[in-house]
Amino acid sequence: ASRCDNPGVTWPPALLFVVVAGLQLAISFLAHDYARFGLLVHEASVKALSVLLLTAGALVALLPGVRARAVSSLDALGGAPRRTRLLALGAAYCGVFLWLGFFHYCTYRRYLLVNDTAFSVNLAHNFIRFGTLEHTMFGAHALSIHFMLLMAVFSPVLLVWNDPLALIALQHALVCSVPFAAYALAARQTASSTAGTAALLLTLCSPYFHDLVGSNQHIASLAAFLPWGLYFLGEGKRVPFLLCFVLMLCTYETAAFALAGYGVYVIFGEGRRRAGLAVTAAAAALFLLELAVTRSFEAREPLGIGPVGRFSMFSHLVPPGVAPEDALRQEDDDDQRRE
C-alpha cells in the first residue's frame, strides 16, 4: 500500500507530536525528580522542534521535489474519509495535549503556576459549594475585580474531581485545541490540508500560544472560543457558535476587544462594511456595559489588598513571632542577594 492509502496513520503532524510527547514522558521519568527534569526536557524538545521545523521549511521552500512530496503527503488527508481525518487530527491533538500537558503538570508540581490560579480555583470552589461569586482569598466579590464568570461555568468539574488539576486540565484541553481551530479555518477557506497544516504549525510556533499554556485560568480559554466560534459560524452550526460566543463573553471584559478585532476583519478582510461596523459597535457597547457592572460591584466592595495583605493570606506559613511584613521584607532581601 502507498503512503496515501492510509493517511490517517502516516499524516506527519500526528506522527510528530505523538513521538515527541512519548519521548518527553519517557525521558522525564528517568529522573527521580521528574517534575524538575521534565521542565528541562520540555525546553529541549521545544528547541529541537524549532530546528526541525525550520530545516523542513527551508527544504520545502528551496527544493521543488521535496515540496511536491510534502504537499502530496499533507493533502492526502483532505481527500480521506471523514473518519480517517478525525483519527489523524485526534492523534495529533492527543500528542499536543500530552506534550504540553506534562509541562503544565510539572509547573503545578514545582509550584510555578501563576498566582491567579489559586484565586480562580477558590472562586470555582465557592460557587459550586456555596453558590456565591465571592473571592474569599480577596474578601471581595469576583465582579468587583473583573467581569469573569468562566470559573463558575467550569466549577461543576469539581464535583467529579475535587482538585485544582480538574480545572487546569479543562483549560489545557481548550488551549490545545487552538492550533486545530486554525487548521479547520485555513483548510475550509483554501480546501487544502497543506494550508491547514501550515496554520496549525504557525500557531504552535507562536510565543503567544506557549504563554497561554501556562497562563491563568480565566483568560487563556478565550483563545479557543473565538476561532472555534468563527468556524462553527462559517459551517452554519448556530448552536455551537452561540455556545462559544457566550463562553467567550464569560472569560473577561477584554473579550470585547477580540470581538472588535473580528469586526475589523469583516470590514477589511471580507469587505462587509456595515456588518463589520455593527460588530465593532456592539463590542464597544459590550465592553462599556461590563465595565459598568464591574465598577458598580467595586463601589460596594472595594478591593484594598497590596503585597503585604496578599502575603498575610499565608501567614500560617510564617515562623512564629515573625510579622508578615518582616517576612516579606526578608524574602525581598534574599531575592536581591541572589540576583
Side-chain angles (χ1 to χ4, degrees):
S2 67
R3 289 174 55 88
C4 295
D5 290 339
N6 197 357
V9 177
T10 60
W11 190 52
L15 293 174
L16 175 64
F17 294 121
V18 168
V19 169
V20 168
L23 285 175
Q24 178 177 257
L25 289 171
I27 296 173
S28 298
F29 282 116
L30 292 175
H32 175 70
D33 188 3
Y34 65 87
R36 176 180 178 277
F37 191 54
L39 296 175
L40 301 176
V41 174
H42 179 77
E43 182 180 2
S45 71
V46 171
K47 292 179 179 179
L49 278 174
S50 300
V51 174
L52 175 64
L53 293 176
L54 183 62
T55 303
L59 292 175
V60 167
L62 297 175
L63 301 178
V66 175
R67 181 163 62 251
R69 292 185 60 183
V71 171
S72 176
S73 177
L74 295 174
D75 271 346
L77 185 66
R82 183 173 183 271
R83 183 177 179 180
T84 302
R85 294 199 304 272
L86 292 178
L87 175 65
L89 291 168
Y93 174 81
C94 289
V96 172
F97 182 88
L98 289 175
W99 174 48
L100 298 176
F102 184 67
F103 161 75
H104 209 168
Y105 176 70
C106 288
T107 61
Y108 169 78
R109 291 297 303 269
R110 297 288 297 176
Y111 303 99
L112 296 174
L113 294 175
V114 294
N115 59 2
D116 278 4
T117 303
F119 307 140
S120 298
V121 173
N122 173 242
L123 177 59
H125 177 270
N126 288 342
F127 183 80
I128 198 62
R129 301 296 179 186
F130 309 109
T132 177
L133 287 173
E134 291 290 330
H135 263 304
T136 50
M137 295 182 70
F138 276 138
H141 196 282
L143 292 179
S144 69
I145 307 171
H146 290 291
F147 190 89
M148 50 183 182
L149 302 172
L150 197 62
M151 287 301 100
V153 176
F154 286 170
S155 62
V157 302
L158 296 178
L159 297 176
V160 180
W161 184 17
N162 190 28
D163 192 285
L165 285 174
L167 293 169
I168 293 172
L170 180 57
Q171 180 219 38
H172 186 72
L174 289 168
V175 172
C176 287
S177 74
V178 173
F180 297 89
Y183 173 93
L185 287 169
R188 186 188 63 194
Q189 190 73 15
T190 63
S192 168
S193 180
T194 299
T197 304
L200 186 154
L201 294 177
L202 285 172
T203 305
L204 274 172
C205 290
S206 170
Y208 298 106
F209 173 76
H210 290 272
D211 284 344
L212 291 174
V213 173
S215 182
N216 54 34
Q217 291 290 295
H218 46 272
I219 300 179
S221 302
L222 168 63
F225 297 138
L226 179 61
W228 280 118
L230 295 178
Y231 173 76
F232 290 130
L233 179 64
E235 290 290 302
K237 299 179 179 180
R238 295 184 178 180
V239 174
F241 161 70
L242 290 175
L243 179 62
C244 289
F245 179 72
V246 171
L247 290 174
M248 182 184 76
L249 298 184
C250 292
T251 55
Y252 227 53
E253 64 267 15
T254 50
F257 289 94
L259 187 61
Y262 173 65
V264 173
Y265 166 76
V266 171
I267 295 173
F268 296 101
E270 299 182 357
R272 295 187 294 154
R273 185 176 179 182
R274 290 185 178 180
L277 289 174
V279 171
T280 305
L286 177 65
F287 175 73
L288 293 175
L289 175 63
E290 293 179 344
L291 197 62
V293 172
T294 302
R295 293 297 185 188
S296 67
F297 277 92
E298 184 180 6
R300 283 184 287 170
E301 298 187 48
L303 181 64
I305 182 170
V308 174
R310 182 173 297 181
F311 190 83
S312 65
M313 301 176 192
F314 309 99
S315 58
H316 60 285
L317 301 177
V318 179
V322 178
E325 295 85 350
D326 296 335
L328 183 62
R329 191 178 300 110
Q330 181 63 42
E331 183 68 20
D332 291 339
D333 292 341
D334 291 343
D335 290 340
Q336 290 177 2
R337 281 196 293 271
R338 281 193 292 268
E339 291 175 358

